Amino acid sequence: MTSPLNTLRRIVRAEKSPAEERCDMCAERVAPDHQHLVDLQSRQLMCACRPCWLLFADDNAHQRYRAVPDRVLAVDPPALDDQQIPVGLVFLFRNSARDRIVALYPGPAGATESELDIAADDPAFAQLRPDVEALLVRQGRDAYLAPIDACYELTGRLRTVWRGFDGGQEARDAVDEFFTRLAGKVGRGK
Ligand SMILES: [Zn+2]
Ligand SMILES: [Zn+2]
């Protein structure tokens, strides 16, 4: 007999095996550092092989799927007050369907989403591609424009190490390590 917990474990294990990773569009095998698409209807992130990714890489195409670009830029942080970043870290992206800036706060249960009362014409958002890129902001420190799948990756990592209200030391170390890696990617990709 298979309990729901066993099934869940099996799914988790399958997702962690790089040999099993496949393109969600055509089922072709993909490398561990493959690219992603955003499904604009379900807001899901999908794994993609290079040819499928290229199909949806045109910003101006009105399609259901949009390729997540791989550029990373260092940017000036947007004007936020401390209440808008309770744990000192926030991901901001532009939701094209709602034409709003949406904030994601990482935490022990994944990420909490809320619409921010923030001017979408803040210069920090000028280069942000809707739905597929995010600003990762550390309050009082730095901000990067990065692929939105980077936010999912960091959120997943933080969920496993988060302790207490502010995440604790292990979460802070994970964030520092992640931002150092982002800084090393600035200027590459497009
Ligand atoms: Zn494919
Ligand atoms: Zn993937």
Side-chain angles (χ1 to χ4, degrees), residues 21 34-36 46-48:
E21 282 190 302
H34 57 270
Q35 291 176 290
H36 293 100
M46 304 170 67
C47 300

Side-chain angles (χ1 to χ4, degrees), residues 54-68:
L54 284 170
L55 275 181
F56 300 99
D58 181 357
D59 274 347
N60 298 314
H62 291 278
Q63 298 174 113
R64 173 170 171 181
Y65 305 100
R66 192 163 293 163
V68 177

Side-chain angles (χ1 to χ4, degrees), residues 1-158:
M1 199 185 86
T2 306
S3 75
L5 190 61
N6 282 342
T7 309
L8 188 64
R9 281 210 191 102
R10 210 164 44 233
I11 291 168
V12 168
R13 209 179 305 132
E15 279 181 352
K16 277 184 177 161
S17 162
E20 293 292 317
E21 282 190 302
R22 290 179 180 275
C23 174
D24 286 323
M25 304 299 282
C26 72
E28 195 66 34
R29 281 255 167 91
V30 293
D33 64 344
H34 57 270
Q35 291 176 290
H36 293 100
L37 303 171
V38 171
D39 179 338
L40 296 181
Q41 277 176 22
S42 67
R43 320 275 335 157
Q44 297 268 348
L45 200 63
M46 304 170 67
C47 300
C49 70
R50 186 79 186 167
C52 286
W53 183 84
L54 284 170
L55 275 181
F56 300 99
D58 181 357
D59 274 347
N60 298 314
H62 291 278
Q63 298 174 113
R64 173 170 171 181
Y65 305 100
R66 192 163 293 163
V68 177
D70 52 9
R71 65 174 183 167
V72 176
L73 305 174
V75 296
D76 291 328
L80 299 170
D81 57 47
D82 287 344
Q83 280 175 338
Q84 288 172 316
I85 316 192
V87 296
L89 175 69
V90 66
F91 312 142
L92 302 169
F93 70 94
R94 191 191 292 271
N95 180 316
S96 64
R98 282 184 281 169
D99 194 26
R100 294 290 302 234
I101 299 295
V102 176
L104 288 179
Y105 300 99
T112 315
E113 187 178 315
S114 81
E115 281 187 6
L116 266 200
D117 200 12
I118 189 171
D121 58 358
D122 187 306
F125 302 120
Q127 294 176 283
L128 192 62
R129 293 181 178 130
D131 310 302
V132 291
E133 289 183 326
L135 293 186
L136 284 71
V137 183
R138 283 195 294 188
Q139 181 74 322
R141 295 183 66 176
D142 47 11
Y144 292 93
L145 183 155
I148 202 160
D149 47 5
C151 299
Y152 286 80
E153 186 192 336
L154 181 55
T155 301
R157 182 110 59 87
L158 289 177

